[in-house]
């Protein structure tokens, strides 16, 4: 069983060695396609492989990845980005994955991709197409936010890749690719979604609304449609249309079961209007939502726990229900004792209530709101 690793890189001297050092012992062939580095990237790559190709950058990630894949001679092809990393624990899981490949002979393997961290703890995980069978005809699609469409026998593995990121400036690169692409031909639903999201990132709210509304009216993956509703809501809110912002969030229920992140967003909108009872309803609803991460959802686990717990402290205190506020504070303290908002709230209850245990909560004044740090729910860039 031979595994080929294929990468595309450009100006990755800050992170490339970390990635290659972690993966080199696991693979049999390492192919690097460089799209125009002018730093020390090529020098670093040559320390790990002789299979280095220099190709022109044509504003098309899929084209570059397909070139790299075309050079692979292994039975299976794996991809990584330069700012990815494989931990020692996951190196062990990779050996188990190789055994699965021998036994099941899949066409594609989906693996968890951890892309956001609190220290060493992953905060956001989704499954990605990590390995494909060489010769199965699977190709990358999409000039940006490229992917390989699932085909044939697809299996899942618990081999995880950490996306640690880098400080490399990306600027408006993705936006410019989408703008050029959209001017040349109509975009499909998936690319409309990512284009609309990119417009939102760059505060082009009117343009984002137009693209996302069109995407929602057509065909498309339900997970993308749910996320599109969240982005659409943020655009409407940024433009001052608060009712349309809420309506866009409720629209997401047309495409699947309520997601915790959507419920938190709905709650936040009510909370901003000082409608704390309504906010409580939706934060508590978020606590009861299922975990849909295995479906590819764009959600942080915090939206099913820490975020609603933290905001329920504020909402219940604003409603005069200090006992419930303390109840939820204790939950946040158990989950994240070192979080700045939790530390602030603990001191608040100590100062105002001569202790923050449940037996003393009746002594706490109801005249001052708990100043929790309101969480922004950033739309994950992936």
């Amino acid at each position: 069983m031979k595994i080929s690793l294929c990468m595309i890189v450009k100006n990755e001297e800050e992170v490339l060695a970390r990635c290659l050092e972690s993966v080199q012992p696991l693979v049999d062939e390492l192919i690097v396609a460089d799209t125009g580095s002018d730093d020390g990237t090529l020098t670093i790559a040559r320390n790990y492989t002789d299979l280095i190709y220099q190709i022109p950058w044509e504003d098309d990630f899929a084209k570059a990845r397909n070139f790299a894949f075309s050079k692979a001679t292994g039975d299976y092809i794996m991809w990584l980005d330069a700012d990815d990393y494989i931990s020692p624990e996951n190196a062990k899981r990779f050996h188990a994955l190789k055994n699965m490949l021998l036994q099941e002979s899949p066409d594609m393997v989906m693996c968890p991709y951890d892309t956001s961290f609190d220290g060493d703890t992953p905060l956001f995980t989704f499954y990605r197409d990590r390995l494909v069978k060489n010769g199965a005809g699977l190709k990358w699609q999409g000039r940006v936010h490229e992917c390989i469409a699932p085909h044939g026998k697809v299996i899942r593995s618990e081999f995880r890749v950490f996306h640690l990121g880098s400080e490399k400036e990306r600027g408006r690169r993705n936006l410019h690719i989408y703008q050029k692409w959209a001017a040349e031909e109509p975009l499909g639903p998936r690319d409309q979604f990512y284009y609309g999201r990119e417009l939102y990132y760059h505060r082009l709210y009117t343009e984002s609304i137009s693209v996302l509304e069109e995407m929602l009216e057509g065909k498309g993956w339900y997970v993308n449609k749910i996320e599109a509703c969240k982005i659409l809501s943020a655009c409407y809110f940024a433009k001052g249309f608060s009712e349309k912002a809420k309506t866009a969030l409720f629209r997401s229920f047309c495409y699947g079961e309520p997601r915790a992140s959507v419920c938190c967003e709905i709650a936040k909108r009510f909370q901003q209007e000082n409608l704390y009872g309504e906010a409580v309803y939706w934060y508590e609803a978020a606590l009861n939502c299922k975990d849909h991460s295995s479906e590819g959802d764009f959600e942080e686990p915090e939206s099913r726990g820490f975020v609603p717990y933290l905001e329920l402290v504020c909402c219940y205190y604003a409603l005069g229900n200090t006992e419930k506020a303390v109840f939820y504070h204790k939950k946040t303290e158990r989950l994240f004792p070192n979080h700045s908002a939790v530390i602030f709230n603990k001191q608040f209850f100590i100062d105002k209530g001569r202790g923050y245990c449940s037996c003393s909560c009746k002594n706490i004044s109801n005249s001052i709101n708990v100043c929790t740090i309101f969480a922004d729910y950033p739309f994950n860039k992936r």
Side-chain angles (χ1 to χ4, degrees):
M1 173 65 65
K2 181 178 178 181
I3 307 291
S4 297
L5 174 69
C6 293
M7 302 178 64
I8 59 172
V9 299
K10 181 178 180 180
N11 292 340
E12 301 288 3
E13 66 178 3
E14 297 296 325
V15 294
L16 184 59
R18 178 185 65 192
C19 174
L20 296 181
E21 197 70 28
S22 75
V23 73
Q24 187 184 42
L26 307 181
V27 299
D28 305 288
E29 183 177 60
L30 205 169
I31 296 162
V32 174
D34 185 273
T35 61
S37 294
D38 55 15
D39 64 357
T41 295
L42 289 171
T43 300
I44 294 169
R46 290 188 186 104
N47 292 328
Y48 296 89
T49 182
D50 295 325
L51 301 175
I52 299 172
Y53 301 87
Q54 293 178 270
I55 62 174
W57 174 241
E58 301 181 45
D59 284 341
D60 192 329
F61 281 92
K63 186 173 184 178
R65 290 202 190 274
N66 284 328
F67 172 86
F69 271 37
S70 74
K71 301 300 180 181
T73 64
D75 301 291
Y76 281 88
I77 308 173
M78 180 170 75
W79 68 275
L80 289 176
D81 286 334
D83 49 359
D84 291 337
Y85 171 76
I86 297 173
S87 68
E89 178 185 2
N90 283 290
K92 296 176 182 177
R93 289 175 176 163
F94 189 78
H95 294 299
L97 170 57
K98 290 183 73 172
N99 289 331
M100 289 176 61
L101 297 178
L102 286 168
Q103 295 170 9
E104 302 192 33
S105 189
D107 295 291
M108 175 184 286
V109 183
M110 305 288 291
C111 299
Y113 200 21
D114 296 327
T115 64
S116 179
F117 297 83
D118 179 14
D120 295 329
T121 303
L123 297 180
F124 180 62
T125 301
F126 60 98
Y127 278 82
R128 276 302 310 257
D129 34 15
R130 182 60 58 190
L131 289 93
V132 299
K133 182 184 287 186
N134 198 358
L138 299 175
K139 299 291 184 181
W140 289 92
Q141 302 171 22
R143 299 186 192 182
V144 65
H145 292 297
E146 68 283 7
C147 71
I148 305 174
H151 177 76
K153 183 178 181 180
V154 181
I155 66 171
R156 289 176 180 262
S157 166
E158 287 310 305
F159 164 68
R160 314 175 79 88
V161 174
F162 295 168
H163 184 70
L164 300 182
S166 71
E167 297 300 319
K168 186 172 74 171
E169 180 61 42
R170 289 157 176 85
R172 298 169 73 89
R173 178 198 66 190
N174 289 356
L175 177 62
H176 289 157
I177 293 174
Y178 275 123
Q179 288 173 328
K180 178 182 175 182
W181 190 7
E184 294 173 358
E185 62 185 23
L187 300 182
R190 182 179 186 275
D191 295 306
Q192 283 182 315
F193 163 70
Y194 281 108
Y195 182 27
R197 194 178 72 167
E198 203 67 39
L199 289 163
Y200 164 75
Y201 289 153
H202 293 279
R203 301 183 179 181
L204 299 171
Y205 302 124
T206 300
E207 295 90 334
S208 179
I209 288 170
S210 177
V211 171
L212 292 175
E213 288 283 9
E214 183 179 350
M215 176 261 182
L216 288 171
E217 290 298 325
K219 295 181 179 179
W221 189 30
Y222 70 97
V223 169
N224 284 353
K225 288 194 171 189
I226 291 169
E227 185 69 9
C229 290
K230 290 164 56 182
I231 301 169
L232 195 60
S233 173
C235 289
Y236 279 127
F237 186 78
K239 289 177 66 66
F241 302 129
S242 58
E243 290 305 310
K244 285 187 175 182
K246 288 202 288 279
T247 299
L249 293 168
F250 286 115
R251 185 176 177 181
S252 73
F253 300 155
C254 297
Y255 308 115
E257 291 184 359
R259 268 49 174 180
S261 60
V262 173
C263 292
C264 284
E265 284 292 316
I266 294 171
K268 185 169 74 170
R269 298 297 173 227
F270 282 117
Q271 191 174 5
Q272 289 164 335
E273 298 171 6
N274 297 328
L275 297 172
Y276 296 108
E278 290 85 344
V280 162
Y281 176 89
W282 288 104
Y283 281 131
E284 291 185 338
L287 295 173
N288 295 316
C289 287
K290 296 178 183 177
D291 178 1
H292 292 273
S293 58
S294 64
E295 301 170 44
D297 272 29
F298 296 70
E299 282 203 338
E300 299 96 336
E302 289 176 308
S303 64
R304 297 188 301 277
F306 178 68
V307 168
Y309 285 146
L310 182 65
E311 300 303 347
L312 282 165
V313 175
C314 181
C315 291
Y316 271 117
Y317 193 83
L319 289 169
N321 191 336
T322 309
E323 184 174 1
K324 269 302 197 61
V326 172
F327 170 78
Y328 279 113
H329 166 68
K330 288 184 175 181
K331 285 184 174 290
T332 62
E333 190 175 23
R334 284 194 292 270
L335 287 169
F336 287 89
N338 298 319
H339 192 286
S340 59
V342 177
I343 293 171
F344 182 96
N345 287 348
K346 178 178 179 177
Q347 190 60 49
F348 176 87
F349 283 121
I350 290 173
D351 292 344
K352 296 297 178 181
R354 296 177 295 281
Y356 68 104
C357 63
S358 58
C359 62
S360 65
C361 65
K362 292 182 180 179
N363 298 322
I364 300 176
S365 167
N366 291 330
S367 61
I368 302 177
N369 288 336
V370 180
C371 297
T372 57
I373 297 176
F374 285 78
D376 289 329
Y377 308 112
F379 303 109
N380 295 283
K381 296 186 178 182
R382 66 178 171 106

